[in-house]
Structures are given as structure tokens and as C-alpha cells.
Amino acid sequence: MSAFVRVSGPPNRHFLVGYPGISATLPRIEGKVEIRPSVGISAPVNISLVTISLQRRETIHPAADSVTKKHLKAPRKEITDIVGKEMLLFRCPAGKEYEEIISMDLPFVLFIPFGRGGQETARRVPPASLQLPSRTAETYYEMVVMVQQGQAEQKKYTFPVPISRYDTLSTFGMYSRPESAERVSDHLVTLGISLPRWSYGPLDPISVYIKLSPNPDWLNKAKRVTIQKITIGIDEEIIYNHEGDEPQRKVKTLAKQVQTVGVKMPEAGYFTNCGLVFPSKDLRDSDGIIPRGKPAFPMYSVSGFTTTGSLYKIEYYLTVKAHLTSAKDILLRQPIVVCPFDHADCKDEMEAIEQSAKEAAYVNSENPMLPLPTIVRPHDHNALHYIGMTYVGRQKKPLIE
């Protein structure tokens, strides 16, 4: 008899507990595997072994966004990894091939690694779930329940789990320290920039302090330089197969702002502030309705964010270009971090993260104190009650409590 398998989370809560990427919250997936007869309701199911694991699937196809190249280039590349450890939920006693089961509820907890395992893949912080436009790259997670029924083939049941990362929130202090950089052209002019913070989300304002200063040793030549305009932009760089032999890069400009200057280089230098807003993706359709999202992917207001997987990596740069005459143009690319949440959402999450860390302090990852499994066998007292049936005389009838 085949089994009906379902995974349910804690009451009124999601499977995912804690915040992936933040070790103090002990990110984990909690719930229970429910096994019932799939046909005949009350006919017992033979169960030998039940395990559960969290599986990450990652695929890339850099040419998928081009109709002409899609069929000519190499096929989609895919890898599958187990995140953390596989958990054994049930094994029938030694000497028995299987156990007959009417109902089975098996509690589990799968701890998500939080980055203390060095270079071991199974212990790295897993990248967030993401699907790029045209599926050029995607990462998604699923819980895999493996059920062995006697001598029959092992059956695997998959349940998608969307996972977000919270270690790039723009409200963290590490991203609020000002960042500065300089670049020189022809030894005549130095371009310097300063960023008040370097993590941004959708619709977050980006403000850049820009300084163009002449070389004091070549002051006469430097004063002949004319500053035509200053361009600032945000570049998205996707590197496919970045750990392989032939990495492939794709760079796209997401936003651009041009400030016309048209002045000669002053002796004291030229200072200005430029700004632009990080672009946001509208989640609503043409009727103004937010469509139902895919179960494996969270809905983000950005097309992508800073992330590193096994097959691809996404990086973002703030580019500042000074267009000059009588000197070479100066281009400066400053790495920034892009978070899938805007600054207001990041602030809202901080209190919840703090509370989650307090709750996690009472959890022992070595022995998480799970509830006992509930296993009902055919000969147990009132066994049919667990599946909503009972005996009336010698007939099985629905149970009315």
C-alpha cells in the first residue's frame, strides 16, 4: 500500500525558524513528517525507513535570456547539495523488514549552517533562494523526505522551502561605516569619493560625496583641465561558473545619473554631492494586483542582490566617472552590498532578530529536545480514531465525536 506523505510546520508558524546568516538565531527548519495510507484510508502502510534532509539545487544557463543563443550554447548546468545533515526519523527494529503503520507523525529539526565550518560546502552559510529573469541562474531549496516501504523502491517526496539571507541588512553597524576610495588619471587629477554607508535595498537613496583635486606638483597643467560632467551609476555584475575554468561575466547598468559641470579645475579642487535612488521592481501586474508567488522563491522588490553560490556570483558596484578635457577620463568602481529589503524593512526586522536570538539561547543544537514521535499501529487501542474512522459493529464508519 502506498503512503501519503506531508510535512507540516509548527502551529501558526512557518517551517523556517530564526534568520539564516545570523548565527545567534540558530536558523533551523522545524516541523513534522506526517505519513498516512494514501488509498483505502484504513489499510495499513508498510514502513521500513524514513529520513529527511534539506537539499539545495542550483542551475545556470547564461544564454537563456537570448532566444537565438539558447539552443546553440551549452545546456543548463545543475548541481545538487545536501545542506547540513540528513536526519533519520524512523527505522524499523532489527530483524523486521517493515512495520505496519496506520498513522505516523515524526517531529524533526534541521539546522541550517551558519558559517563556522571553513570551506566545507555542507557547513557554509547557504545562499538565498533566487531566480533571475529568464532563469539564467537560480537557487532553490526543498525538503526531501525519503520513505522506504519494505522491498519496494525508495520514494522521495519534495517540499519547497524559500530561504532568505539576513546578514546584509543595511541597518547593521558594519555597513554604516563610511567608505572612501581614490583614483588618479595622468598624474594630473585625483578623483576621490566617500559613501556614508555601503548596503542598499530597493528605493534606498544613495548619496556620494565627490572630490576632484589637482596634483600640486603639476598645478599649471592641472588647471588647464576642464571638468565636463560627472556620471554616477550602479552596475550589476553576474559571474557564471566563477569557480570553474571558464567564468563568464555579464555586466548591466541598473541606474545612471549625469551631472553637467563645465568648469575649469579650480586650484582648491572641485567638490560636489551626487545622488540617485536604487531601482525597484514593481511586483504588481498591469491590473495593480500582486500575483501569487512561486512557492520556492520569496518575492523581492529587486531583480537580484549580492549573493555567492557554487555556480554563480552577483556583485554590485557604484561607478563614478569624471569626464575631462586635456586629461584622461577617470573611472572609479566601488563595491557595494545590495540587500533585498529596503532600509525601513531592515529596521523593522532588527527587533524580531533580537527576540529570535533570545529564544535560540535556550535551544541546544546537539540535542534539540524534540517531541516524541506518534506512531499508531493497526492493533493499537482505538487505532482508527487517529484517521477519523471507527468500527460500528463490524463495519468501518467515519468517526463523529
PDB file of all heavy atoms in Angstrom, residues 196-211:
ATOM      1  N   PRO A 196      28.550  57.354   2.743  1.00  0.00           N
ATOM      2  CA  PRO A 196      28.221  57.280   4.173  1.00  0.00           C
ATOM      3  C   PRO A 196      27.905  55.859   4.641  1.00  0.00           C
ATOM      4  O   PRO A 196      28.164  55.500   5.773  1.00  0.00           O
ATOM      5  CB  PRO A 196      27.010  58.199   4.318  1.00  0.00           C
ATOM      6  CG  PRO A 196      26.446  58.345   2.935  1.00  0.00           C
ATOM      7  CD  PRO A 196      27.578  58.156   1.985  1.00  0.00           C
ATOM      8  N   ARG A 197      27.326  55.030   3.781  1.00  0.00           N
ATOM      9  CA  ARG A 197      27.091  53.611   4.090  1.00  0.00           C
ATOM     10  C   ARG A 197      27.172  52.829   2.781  1.00  0.00           C
ATOM     11  O   ARG A 197      27.139  53.422   1.701  1.00  0.00           O
ATOM     12  CB  ARG A 197      25.754  53.380   4.793  1.00  0.00           C
ATOM     13  CG  ARG A 197      24.529  53.809   4.046  1.00  0.00           C
ATOM     14  CD  ARG A 197      23.280  53.692   4.929  1.00  0.00           C
ATOM     15  NE  ARG A 197      22.073  54.121   4.250  1.00  0.00           N
ATOM     16  CZ  ARG A 197      21.261  53.327   3.574  1.00  0.00           C
ATOM     17  NH1 ARG A 197      21.525  52.033   3.480  1.00  0.00           N
ATOM     18  NH2 ARG A 197      20.177  53.797   2.973  1.00  0.00           N
ATOM     19  N   TRP A 198      27.266  51.506   2.880  1.00  0.00           N
ATOM     20  CA  TRP A 198      27.507  50.750   1.642  1.00  0.00           C
ATOM     21  C   TRP A 198      26.645  49.499   1.504  1.00  0.00           C
ATOM     22  O   TRP A 198      26.990  48.561   0.804  1.00  0.00           O
ATOM     23  CB  TRP A 198      28.989  50.404   1.477  1.00  0.00           C
ATOM     24  CG  TRP A 198      29.662  49.845   2.697  1.00  0.00           C
ATOM     25  CD1 TRP A 198      29.967  50.514   3.841  1.00  0.00           C
ATOM     26  CD2 TRP A 198      30.131  48.508   2.879  1.00  0.00           C
ATOM     27  NE1 TRP A 198      30.587  49.668   4.734  1.00  0.00           N
ATOM     28  CE2 TRP A 198      30.711  48.445   4.167  1.00  0.00           C
ATOM     29  CE3 TRP A 198      30.121  47.372   2.081  1.00  0.00           C
ATOM     30  CZ2 TRP A 198      31.267  47.278   4.675  1.00  0.00           C
ATOM     31  CZ3 TRP A 198      30.682  46.207   2.582  1.00  0.00           C
ATOM     32  CH2 TRP A 198      31.247  46.174   3.861  1.00  0.00           C
ATOM     33  N   SER A 199      25.456  49.510   2.145  1.00  0.00           N
ATOM     34  CA  SER A 199      24.457  48.474   1.891  1.00  0.00           C
ATOM     35  C   SER A 199      23.149  49.170   1.555  1.00  0.00           C
ATOM     36  O   SER A 199      22.712  50.067   2.281  1.00  0.00           O
ATOM     37  CB  SER A 199      24.278  47.576   3.120  1.00  0.00           C
ATOM     38  OG  SER A 199      23.233  46.643   2.903  1.00  0.00           O
ATOM     39  N   TYR A 200      22.530  48.762   0.441  1.00  0.00           N
ATOM     40  CA  TYR A 200      21.333  49.448  -0.045  1.00  0.00           C
ATOM     41  C   TYR A 200      20.297  48.420  -0.498  1.00  0.00           C
ATOM     42  O   TYR A 200      20.637  47.328  -0.944  1.00  0.00           O
ATOM     43  CB  TYR A 200      21.676  50.377  -1.221  1.00  0.00           C
ATOM     44  CG  TYR A 200      22.712  51.418  -0.865  1.00  0.00           C
ATOM     45  CD1 TYR A 200      24.061  51.198  -1.123  1.00  0.00           C
ATOM     46  CD2 TYR A 200      22.335  52.605  -0.258  1.00  0.00           C
ATOM     47  CE1 TYR A 200      25.013  52.140  -0.777  1.00  0.00           C
ATOM     48  CE2 TYR A 200      23.288  53.560   0.082  1.00  0.00           C
ATOM     49  CZ  TYR A 200      24.621  53.324  -0.169  1.00  0.00           C
ATOM     50  OH  TYR A 200      25.558  54.255   0.173  1.00  0.00           O
ATOM     51  N   GLY A 201      19.023  48.823  -0.410  1.00  0.00           N
ATOM     52  CA  GLY A 201      17.919  47.994  -0.867  1.00  0.00           C
ATOM     53  C   GLY A 201      17.064  48.764  -1.861  1.00  0.00           C
ATOM     54  O   GLY A 201      17.411  49.881  -2.266  1.00  0.00           O
ATOM     55  N   PRO A 202      15.931  48.201  -2.265  1.00  0.00           N
ATOM     56  CA  PRO A 202      15.074  48.872  -3.255  1.00  0.00           C
ATOM     57  C   PRO A 202      14.584  50.236  -2.768  1.00  0.00           C
ATOM     58  O   PRO A 202      14.153  50.379  -1.630  1.00  0.00           O
ATOM     59  CB  PRO A 202      13.909  47.889  -3.449  1.00  0.00           C
ATOM     60  CG  PRO A 202      13.941  47.009  -2.240  1.00  0.00           C
ATOM     61  CD  PRO A 202      15.358  46.931  -1.805  1.00  0.00           C
ATOM     62  N   LEU A 203      14.698  51.238  -3.658  1.00  0.00           N
ATOM     63  CA  LEU A 203      14.255  52.625  -3.415  1.00  0.00           C
ATOM     64  C   LEU A 203      15.035  53.319  -2.300  1.00  0.00           C
ATOM     65  O   LEU A 203      14.625  54.369  -1.826  1.00  0.00           O
ATOM     66  CB  LEU A 203      12.753  52.685  -3.123  1.00  0.00           C
ATOM     67  CG  LEU A 203      11.831  52.221  -4.269  1.00  0.00           C
ATOM     68  CD1 LEU A 203      10.377  52.327  -3.848  1.00  0.00           C
ATOM     69  CD2 LEU A 203      12.082  53.034  -5.529  1.00  0.00           C
ATOM     70  N   ASP A 204      16.171  52.758  -1.868  1.00  0.00           N
ATOM     71  CA  ASP A 204      17.026  53.449  -0.902  1.00  0.00           C
ATOM     72  C   ASP A 204      17.810  54.549  -1.616  1.00  0.00           C
ATOM     73  O   ASP A 204      18.350  54.318  -2.716  1.00  0.00           O
ATOM     74  CB  ASP A 204      18.015  52.475  -0.251  1.00  0.00           C
ATOM     75  CG  ASP A 204      17.374  51.635   0.837  1.00  0.00           C
ATOM     76  OD1 ASP A 204      16.198  51.882   1.152  1.00  0.00           O
ATOM     77  OD2 ASP A 204      18.055  50.729   1.362  1.00  0.00           O
ATOM     78  N   PRO A 205      17.895  55.755  -1.040  1.00  0.00           N
ATOM     79  CA  PRO A 205      18.700  56.817  -1.670  1.00  0.00           C
ATOM     80  C   PRO A 205      20.195  56.563  -1.476  1.00  0.00           C
ATOM     81  O   PRO A 205      20.621  56.138  -0.398  1.00  0.00           O
ATOM     82  CB  PRO A 205      18.248  58.083  -0.927  1.00  0.00           C
ATOM     83  CG  PRO A 205      17.738  57.592   0.393  1.00  0.00           C
ATOM     84  CD  PRO A 205      17.218  56.205   0.179  1.00  0.00           C
ATOM     85  N   ILE A 206      20.962  56.785  -2.536  1.00  0.00           N
ATOM     86  CA  ILE A 206      22.416  56.630  -2.481  1.00  0.00           C
ATOM     87  C   ILE A 206      23.037  58.008  -2.660  1.00  0.00           C
ATOM     88  O   ILE A 206      22.827  58.669  -3.687  1.00  0.00           O
ATOM     89  CB  ILE A 206      22.921  55.665  -3.573  1.00  0.00           C
ATOM     90  CG1 ILE A 206      22.265  54.287  -3.410  1.00  0.00           C
ATOM     91  CG2 ILE A 206      24.434  55.537  -3.535  1.00  0.00           C
ATOM     92  CD1 ILE A 206      22.606  53.307  -4.508  1.00  0.00           C
ATOM     93  N   SER A 207      23.788  58.449  -1.679  1.00  0.00           N
ATOM     94  CA  SER A 207      24.429  59.769  -1.728  1.00  0.00           C
ATOM     95  C   SER A 207      25.940  59.583  -1.773  1.00  0.00           C
ATOM     96  O   SER A 207      26.496  58.802  -0.991  1.00  0.00           O
ATOM     97  CB  SER A 207      24.028  60.578  -0.493  1.00  0.00           C
ATOM     98  OG  SER A 207      24.685  61.811  -0.494  1.00  0.00           O
ATOM     99  N   VAL A 208      26.602  60.278  -2.700  1.00  0.00           N
ATOM    100  CA  VAL A 208      28.052  60.146  -2.883  1.00  0.00           C
ATOM    101  C   VAL A 208      28.690  61.531  -2.788  1.00  0.00           C
ATOM    102  O   VAL A 208      28.267  62.465  -3.477  1.00  0.00           O
ATOM    103  CB  VAL A 208      28.410  59.541  -4.258  1.00  0.00           C
ATOM    104  CG1 VAL A 208      29.848  59.066  -4.267  1.00  0.00           C
ATOM    105  CG2 VAL A 208      27.479  58.418  -4.631  1.00  0.00           C
ATOM    106  N   TYR A 209      29.691  61.638  -1.930  1.00  0.00           N
ATOM    107  CA  TYR A 209      30.482  62.873  -1.861  1.00  0.00           C
ATOM    108  C   TYR A 209      31.661  62.706  -2.817  1.00  0.00           C
ATOM    109  O   TYR A 209      32.439  61.754  -2.706  1.00  0.00           O
ATOM    110  CB  TYR A 209      30.959  63.108  -0.433  1.00  0.00           C
ATOM    111  CG  TYR A 209      31.899  64.279  -0.272  1.00  0.00           C
ATOM    112  CD1 TYR A 209      31.437  65.584  -0.374  1.00  0.00           C
ATOM    113  CD2 TYR A 209      33.261  64.075  -0.040  1.00  0.00           C
ATOM    114  CE1 TYR A 209      32.296  66.662  -0.238  1.00  0.00           C
ATOM    115  CE2 TYR A 209      34.132  65.137   0.099  1.00  0.00           C
ATOM    116  CZ  TYR A 209      33.648  66.430  -0.001  1.00  0.00           C
ATOM    117  OH  TYR A 209      34.501  67.496   0.110  1.00  0.00           O
ATOM    118  N   ILE A 210      31.798  63.619  -3.776  1.00  0.00           N
ATOM    119  CA  ILE A 210      32.822  63.502  -4.833  1.00  0.00           C
ATOM    120  C   ILE A 210      33.787  64.673  -4.739  1.00  0.00           C
ATOM    121  O   ILE A 210      33.370  65.831  -4.577  1.00  0.00           O
ATOM    122  CB  ILE A 210      32.159  63.465  -6.229  1.00  0.00           C
ATOM    123  CG1 ILE A 210      31.227  62.246  -6.335  1.00  0.00           C
ATOM    124  CG2 ILE A 210      33.214  63.421  -7.329  1.00  0.00           C
ATOM    125  CD1 ILE A 210      30.394  62.221  -7.583  1.00  0.00           C
ATOM    126  N   LYS A 211      35.069  64.365  -4.849  1.00  0.00           N
ATOM    127  CA  LYS A 211      36.109  65.399  -4.798  1.00  0.00           C
ATOM    128  C   LYS A 211      37.083  65.189  -5.954  1.00  0.00           C
ATOM    129  O   LYS A 211      37.630  64.089  -6.116  1.00  0.00           O
ATOM    130  CB  LYS A 211      36.847  65.310  -3.460  1.00  0.00           C
ATOM    131  CG  LYS A 211      38.021  66.269  -3.319  1.00  0.00           C
ATOM    132  CD  LYS A 211      38.764  66.017  -2.009  1.00  0.00           C
ATOM    133  CE  LYS A 211      39.990  66.900  -1.902  1.00  0.00           C
ATOM    134  NZ  LYS A 211      40.774  66.600  -0.684  1.00  0.00           N
TER     135      LYS A 211
END
